[in-house]
Amino acid sequence: SMSVAELARAWVEQYSKSDRDRDDNFFALMDFERDLREEDADRAIDLILAILDIETNPVLLSMLAAGPLEDVISMTSIDRIEREAKVNKRFHDLLGGVWYFRAPEELKVRLDALIGDNRW
């Protein structure tokens, strides 16, 4: 029932904590992320964009790229990802931290074209 902006702040707060300082809220957030990407990829992308709007820490951004963004990329979400990358430079840059070697060939081709030499 939290807004996307509230979820973004909660994500930053939870992922900023050291492993030993994480609590049940961290694991609840992880479960929520999984459910969101499986049931509502657009809202998952909205959350990623909201986090990107408030966070600049390279460590957290690498976790965002290698976690939620990497996990939400699929043939059903690629159109939205391409649209967002065209209008949002930070989002486009974030895609450089995504690994997609095991993706289907059609998806790899589209990501290669989108990311180009922008790999981290």
Side-chain angles (χ1 to χ4, degrees):
S1 65
M2 296 171 70
S3 72
V4 172
E6 290 169 327
L7 286 168
R9 285 189 297 279
W11 191 95
V12 169
E13 178 185 327
Q14 288 299 316
Y15 279 86
S16 294
K17 293 180 180 181
S18 67
D19 288 345
R20 66 185 151 99
D21 292 330
R22 292 184 176 152
D23 55 23
D24 290 342
N25 289 324
F26 176 78
F27 299 105
L29 184 60
M30 286 180 62
D31 289 343
F32 178 76
E33 285 178 54
R34 181 197 64 240
D35 293 344
L36 197 58
R37 80 172 168 266
E38 291 174 2
E39 298 169 15
D40 191 351
D42 276 330
R43 190 154 183 243
I45 294 168
D46 290 343
L47 176 58
I48 292 164
L49 292 168
I51 294 166
L52 198 54
D53 281 346
I54 62 171
E55 189 53 55
T56 58
N57 181 320
V59 173
L60 288 178
L61 293 178
S62 68
M63 286 191 268
L64 184 62
L69 181 55
E70 187 171 300
D71 293 343
V72 79
I73 295 174
S74 69
M75 287 307 297
T76 57
S77 66
I78 190 64
D79 290 339
R80 167 90 189 273
I81 288 166
E82 288 170 333
R83 283 192 311 273
E84 293 296 341
K86 286 178 185 175
V87 299
N88 185 329
K89 182 179 177 351
R90 289 195 72 218
F91 184 75
H92 181 264
D93 291 345
L94 190 67
L95 285 166
V98 169
W99 289 11
Y100 53 92
F101 305 107
R102 294 187 179 141
E105 194 59 34
E106 181 182 354
L107 186 57
K108 280 186 198 176
V109 168
R110 290 176 74 175
L111 288 166
D112 284 343
L114 182 62
I115 296 169
D117 294 331
N118 188 39
R119 300 196 195 295
W120 297 2

